[in-house]
Each structure stands twice: as structure tokens, then as C-alpha cells.
């Protein structure tokens, strides 16, 4: 009997999860997403191809491996259809090796409308949501009003759909939202709805399964399963910087509920962190840099959202946040990505603790959004060297090795590997 290994982000998302999952896939039989939905953007690069996945797991390019969209995930059928088509253009037929949980919830066009309506109503306090309908769809799930993938096969699906849509239109009305002016991909709600309904036919072509049985049977047979996280621990619904979070459980606990595996069946927990830090959308970010260094991180790191194209906010690595994430997830191994972005830096800083009201702490405060936090910074000498061409961890420049050693020391978690470019081949295992 084997266990589920987990790979998830330890920061505010975009740590490079897609790339690392793709690299790890040859070691596994099944790759499974357990939460999130089309708010995710996971980038893979190999053989000169760059590909961004949103709902489909990052193991899809390995045709001998199975991919599963678990019950904890949200599916927007039209976005899913586009993703399937983009893969077909690269000669990948996902119908063959992608299974979908019948219990995964659907994002309706009217959920996307409500996402926009909620953001508008929040005004200056808006979350900076990706506007994919994540919050409203998970709200309906918890309120026991949602529609699930398995429902599309039922004779009364359209009836249930209409009922839910009417509720959403009423909510939009109470929020004074201008439904007539609302657009998705330049389409009115009615126009988009036609597409959305048509794309259900694509969804029906897939193996729709009870994924909890499937995954547990795979484990019983000794097969190896990797759970792929979306977003990051600091965006978790419970432990992130609430309310500036996403609406799912992004941590290891989410694997149990999002795939239907027992806690005793969790194996390795691999966490990913960039060598610095980014965040997209609103909310606290104590180490954010508003200066030239921040701008260089953004430009050198191509820090623009893979889903929305928005520029990501950039700053130094935040160790209190990273330690918090390691604690919440039970991280057993660390992946560090993108140190190459800082190749030209004379000096690299690490925030080791926070100063709040004159007191030093390494705990994330409850009042994270309100208090003024001054990061306590420790300096490291830059390595001032290109990393391209380096093929062994031990051959990395000494100053980078010192920085990685420091990351191990402050988190108490060993580094398993470091990634030094967007390409699949540039992951150096320690
Ligand atoms: P994810 O959401 O965690 O899968 O990450 P994203 O794909 O949203 O963002 C990570 C970005 O960094 C993508 O553009 C990747 O191609 C790129 N990337 C990943 N690893 C590295 C690395 O080690 N170095 C550099 N320079 N870029 C990387
Ligand atoms: P991946 O998987 C980075 C952020 C949004 C917003 C907040 C809530 O690529 O790492 P939502 O649309 O979920 O209601 O938005 O969460 N966010 C992400 N930031 N990477 C992501 O996914 C994200 N998914 C959501 O920017 O601040
Ligand atoms: Mg991303």
C-alpha cells in the first residue's frame, strides 16, 4: 500500500508548481489536483514549448500517466474546453489520460458574474480576485446549493441550472450590479451561457468517476500518486491573510478532503518557495519592495500572472510566512525556484522576523492586514554569476549554496532541489 505525496506552494502562489510537478511526474502513476480551479495558472516549459494549465493537472504531457481532477476542484466547462483544445493543438489528447471526479463542483457563468459583482461592491477593499467565479462557486458548495460534474448527466440538469442562475441574478440585483453591461470574454451573460452549455458536451467525453475510490484503489495496488496544489499556503481560506485569500483549503489538509484520502495515507509533503517572494492581488505583503530592486525582480522574473496577466508584486523572501507554511503543511522537503532571477544582485535579503509596534516576532499576527510590519532583514552576498549550464547542485556558486543552507536552517526543512530556469531540464537535485 502506498501513500499520496503532495506538492504545494508555500507562499502566495506562482512558486513554480506546474514546472516541478511536470519534472516529478515520471516518478508517479497518477497526478491529481485537489482544490482550486481556473484561478490557477501553472506554466510548463520543455523542448521550446511553453504551456499554461489552469484546471488540468500538470502531469498531462506524460501520456503514460493518469491525471485526476479531484472532488475539491472547481470546473468551468468553457475554460476547460479551451484548455483541452489548446492541448490538442500540441497533439495531447486529454480524453485518454484525464479522469474527472463527478463530485467536483461547476462554475456557472453567473458565478463569474457574482465574482465581479462582489468585487465591485467591496470597492477599495476588493480582493483582486481572478474573476473566474471561485468565491461564489465555493460559496454555493458550502451552502449546499452547488451543481456538480455528475449532475450534467441527469435529466433535470437544465432545470437545476436555471434555478441557481435565477438566485444569482437576484443576488446581483440586490448588489445593484449592472448585469446587462457585464461581459465575459467580450460576451454578454446570455451569449456566454450558450457557449458554456455547449461545452458541457466536451466534459461528457471524459471519464467521469468517483475519484475517491479510484485514488484509494490505486494506492491499495501500490501505485504512486502525487497531489498537485494550486495557489499557495498564504492564500489558504483559514490560515491565509483573510479576507485576502482564495476560497479553498490550499494546504495538505485540503488533499484529504479534496481527494478523499485519509490523513494516514499522506506521504512526502514537498513545499515550493521562490528564492524571493511575489503576490498578485490585494492583501498584506510585509517584504514588498516598491523600489528599483522590486522592479528588477518583476522584470527579470517575468512576474506577470499566468491567468490574468497582471504584474505580480515582488519582494524579499519572508521567512515567518515560510515557517508558518511549513508548520501548517508538515513540509518534509523544500523545492526552491528562481534564484537565477537574482544573478546580478550584489546583495540578497531575507526577512527573518517582523517588527510590530517595536516588538520583534516571528509569528504571523491575527491583525496581519491592519498592523504596520517592518521586516527584520538579514543580508547575503550575491553570487553575481549566470547559472545556465550548471547541471549539479554542488556546482552552484558558493554564495547561492550559502543562501540555500540558510533557508534550510531557518525552516528546519531540507532542500530537495533547486530550479534555475523555466525549463524542465533545469532542476538540480541535492
Ligand atoms: P505556478 O502557478 O506555481 O505553477 O507558477 P506559475 O507558472 O504561475 O509561475 C511561475 C513562473 O516562473 C512561470 O513563468 C515559470 O515558467 C517560471 N519559472 C519556474 N521555475 C523557474 C526558475 O527556476 N527560474 C526562472 N527564471 N523561472 C522559473
Ligand atoms: P496558482 O495556482 C497567485 C489570488 C488572486 C486574489 C486571491 C483570490 O497559479 O499559484 P480568487 O480568484 O481565487 O478568488 O482570487 O487569490 N490567486 C492567486 N495568486 N497564484 C494563483 O494560483 C492564484 N489563484 C488565486 O490574485 O488575490
Ligand atoms: Mg500560477
Amino acid at each position: 500500500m502506498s501513500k499520496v505525496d503532495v506538492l504545494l506552494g508555500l507562499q502566495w502562489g506562482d512558486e513554480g508548481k506546474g514546472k516541478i510537478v511536470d519534472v516529478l511526474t515520471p516518478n508517479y502513476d497518477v497526478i491529481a489536483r485537489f482544490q482550486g480551479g481556473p484561478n490557477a495558472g501553472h506554466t510548463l516549459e520543455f523542448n521550446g514549448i511553453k504551456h499554461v494549465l489552469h484546471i488540468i493537472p500538470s502531469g498531462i504531457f506524460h501520456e503514460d500517466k493518469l491525471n485526476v481532477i479531484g472532488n475539491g476542484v472547481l470546473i468551468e466547462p468553457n475554460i476547460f474546453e479551451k484548455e483541452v483544445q489548446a492541448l490538442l493543438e500540441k497533439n495531447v489528447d486529454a480524453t485518454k489520460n484525464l479522469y474527472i471526479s463527478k463530485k467536483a463542483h461547476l462554475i456557472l457563468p453567473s458565478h463569474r458574474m457574482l465574482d465581479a459583482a462582489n468585487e465591485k461592491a467591496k470597492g477599495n477593499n476588493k480582493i483582486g480576485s481572478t474573476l473566474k467565479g471561485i468565491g461564489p462557486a465555493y460559496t454555493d458548495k458550502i451552502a449546499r446549493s452547488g451543481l456538480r460534474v455528475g449532475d450534467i448527466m441527469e435529466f433535470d440538469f437544465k432545470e437545476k441550472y436555471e434555478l441557481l442562475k435565477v438566485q444569482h441574478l437576484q443576488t446581483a440585483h440586490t448588489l445593484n450590479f449592472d448585469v446587462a453591461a457585464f461581459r465575459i470574454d467580450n460576451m454578454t451573460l446570455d451569449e456566454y451561457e450558450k457557449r458554456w452549455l455547449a461545452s458541457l458536451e466536451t466534459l461528457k467525453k471524459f471519464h467521469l468517476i468517483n475519484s475517491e475510490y479510484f485514488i484509494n484503489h490505486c494506492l491499495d495496488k501500490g501505485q504512486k500518486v502525487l497531489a498537485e496544489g494550486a495557489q499557495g499556503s498564504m492564500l489558504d481560506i483559514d490560515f491565509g491573510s483573510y479576507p485576502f485569500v482564495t476560497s479553498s483549503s490550499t494546504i495538505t489538509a485540503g488533499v484529504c478532503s479534496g481527494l478523499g484520502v485519509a490523513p494516514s495515507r499522506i506521504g512526502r509533503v514537498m513545499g515550493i518557495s521562490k528564492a524571493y517572494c511575489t503576490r498578485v492581488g490585494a492583501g498584506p505583503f510585509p517584504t514588498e519592495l516598491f523600489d528599483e530592486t522590486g522592479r528588477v525582480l518583476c522584470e527579470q522574473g517575468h512576474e506577470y500572472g499566468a491567468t490574468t496577466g497582471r504584474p505580480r508584486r515582488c519582494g524579499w523572501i519572508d521567512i515567518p510566512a515560510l515557517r508558518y507554511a511549513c508548520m501548517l503543511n508538515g513540509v518534509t522537503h523544500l523545492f526552491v525556484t528562481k534564484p537565477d532571477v537574482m544573478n546580478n544582485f550584489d546583495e540578497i535579503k531575507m526577512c527573518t522576523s517582523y517588527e510590530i509596534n517595536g516588538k520583534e516576532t516571528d509569528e504571523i499576527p491575527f491583525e496581519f492586514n491592519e498592523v504596520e510590519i517592518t521586516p527584520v532583514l538579514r543580508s547575503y552576498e550575491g553570487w553575481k554569476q549566470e547559472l545556465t549550464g550548471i547541471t549539479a547542485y554542488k556546482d552552484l556558486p558558493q554564495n547561492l549554496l550559502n543562501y540555500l543552507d540558510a533557508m534550510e536552517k531557518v525552516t528546519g526543512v531540507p532542500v530537495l532541489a533547486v530550479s534555475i530556469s523555466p525549463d524542465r531540464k533545469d532542476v538540480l537535485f541535492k
Side-chain angles (χ1 to χ4, degrees):
M1 187 180 92
S2 46
K3 294 194 170 188
V4 180
D5 287 350
V6 183
L7 182 125
L8 42 70
L10 300 176
Q11 300 173 305
W12 280 278
D14 306 326
E15 298 88 350
K17 298 175 291 291
K19 175 194 165 156
I20 299 298
V21 168
D22 173 52
V23 168
L24 292 175
T25 296
N27 306 324
Y28 291 90
D29 301 293
V30 179
I31 311 299
R33 277 277 303 270
F34 59 93
Q35 47 69 235
N39 49 349
H42 295 180
T43 316
L44 288 73
E45 276 191 48
F46 52 90
N47 305 337
I49 296 175
K50 179 175 167 168
H51 199 88
V52 181
L53 294 163
H54 301 285
I55 310 173
I56 296 176
S58 300
I60 199 72
F61 284 96
H62 300 254
E63 59 183 37
D64 54 331
K65 307 293 176 176
L66 275 175
N67 291 269
V68 173
I69 296 179
N71 57 279
V73 177
L74 296 179
I75 298 188
E76 206 279 31
N78 190 237
I79 298 180
F80 175 74
E81 184 180 72
K82 281 195 209 146
E83 220 174 310
V84 169
Q85 276 161 1
L87 284 170
L88 266 180
E89 281 161 25
K90 288 176 177 138
N91 295 320
V92 176
D93 178 3
T95 54
K96 295 201 178 117
N97 62 339
L98 174 64
Y99 294 2
I100 302 174
S101 168
K102 287 185 196 170
K103 296 189 178 71
H105 277 245
L106 293 172
I107 299 180
L108 274 53
S110 47
H111 282 131
R112 297 186 61 178
M113 172 194 68
L114 281 186
D115 208 355
N118 289 337
E119 285 285 75
K120 188 150 184 284
K122 283 187 195 298
N124 287 339
N125 297 322
K126 69 175 187 172
I127 311 295
S129 133
T130 60
L131 300 177
K132 303 297 179 202
I134 301 294
Y138 276 126
T139 301
D140 273 341
K141 173 177 176 174
I142 300 300
R144 300 165 290 186
S145 328
L147 290 174
R148 301 183 291 176
V149 167
D151 294 333
I152 65 174
M153 306 308 253
E154 302 289 326
F155 70 96
D156 60 348
F157 174 75
K158 193 69 201 308
E159 215 172 291
K160 287 182 181 160
Y161 170 89
E162 289 296 333
L163 269 177
L164 193 53
K165 185 179 84 177
V166 168
Q167 277 179 27
H168 293 163
L169 288 169
Q170 278 164 356
T171 310
H173 181 70
T174 55
L175 290 168
N176 281 326
F177 187 71
D178 187 353
V179 176
F182 175 69
R183 296 286 180 276
I184 302 175
D185 300 344
N186 293 320
M187 282 174 264
T188 64
L189 194 60
D190 288 345
E191 286 163 352
Y192 190 77
E193 178 182 72
K194 284 199 188 84
R195 287 232 176 152
W196 188 95
L197 289 169
S199 57
L200 293 176
E201 297 311 311
T202 297
L203 202 50
K204 287 179 188 164
K205 288 185 195 147
F206 284 78
H207 299 268
L208 308 181
I209 60 166
N210 285 321
S211 60
E212 63 279 29
Y213 281 112
F214 178 78
I215 298 226
N216 280 286
H217 288 159
C218 286
L219 295 173
D220 290 343
K221 284 187 283 186
Q223 289 192 318
K224 297 183 77 183
V225 179
L226 177 66
E228 170 182 3
Q231 290 80 56
S233 304
M234 297 307 287
L235 288 170
D236 179 77
I237 183 71
D238 283 281
F239 303 105
S241 42
Y242 193 88
F244 301 103
V245 293
T246 190
S247 300
S248 65
S249 185
T250 61
I251 59 174
T252 307
V255 177
C256 297
S257 55
L259 291 179
V261 293
S264 56
R265 295 200 115 169
I266 301 290
R268 271 186 178 199
V269 180
M270 297 172 278
I272 309 193
S273 165
K274 285 181 193 173
Y276 52 96
C277 207
T278 64
R279 171 163 206 170
V280 58
F285 183 4
T287 60
E288 184 168 10
L289 292 166
F290 300 93
D291 59 4
E292 179 62 13
T293 309
R295 200 193 58 77
V296 173
L297 284 173
C298 183
E299 289 310 315
Q300 293 294 321
H302 305 287
E303 296 295 358
Y304 295 91
T307 295
T308 59
R310 292 178 292 178
R312 297 177 183 142
R313 301 153 66 191
C314 296
W316 298 120
I317 195 160
D318 182 332
I319 298 300
L322 195 60
R323 281 163 56 105
Y324 187 54
C326 288
M327 173 184 85
L328 296 169
N329 290 303
V331 176
T332 57
H333 300 81
L334 270 185
F335 276 93
V336 180
T337 57
K338 304 186 91 164
D340 53 291
V341 171
M342 301 192 287
N343 282 349
N344 296 320
F345 284 27
D346 293 320
E347 186 185 34
I348 289 156
K349 291 184 184 166
M350 180 183 273
C351 164
T352 51
S353 58
Y354 299 156
E355 195 185 291
I356 302 172
N357 297 325
K359 278 205 189 112
E360 203 173 320
T361 177
D362 64 358
E363 259 191 33
I364 308 293
F366 174 77
E367 308 80 5
F368 201 31
N369 305 331
E370 288 86 35
V371 286
E372 193 168 324
I373 297 176
T374 311
V376 177
L377 299 170
R378 191 186 292 164
S379 235
Y380 290 83
E381 226 177 284
W383 42 92
K384 307 277 287 177
Q385 180 189 324
E386 288 298 309
L387 305 178
T388 19
I390 298 180
T391 53
Y393 190 94
K394 64 172 177 37
D395 296 334
L396 288 168
Q398 189 56 47
N399 284 347
L400 173 52
L401 290 173
N402 294 346
Y403 185 74
L404 295 167
D405 284 351
M407 281 185 71
E408 284 192 335
K409 206 168 275 164
V410 292
T411 56
V413 182
V415 171
L416 181 60
V418 61
S419 163
I420 55 167
S421 95
D423 197 279
R424 182 192 267 178
K425 67 180 175 3
D426 287 321
V427 176
L428 314 182
F429 283 82
K430 192 169 173 180

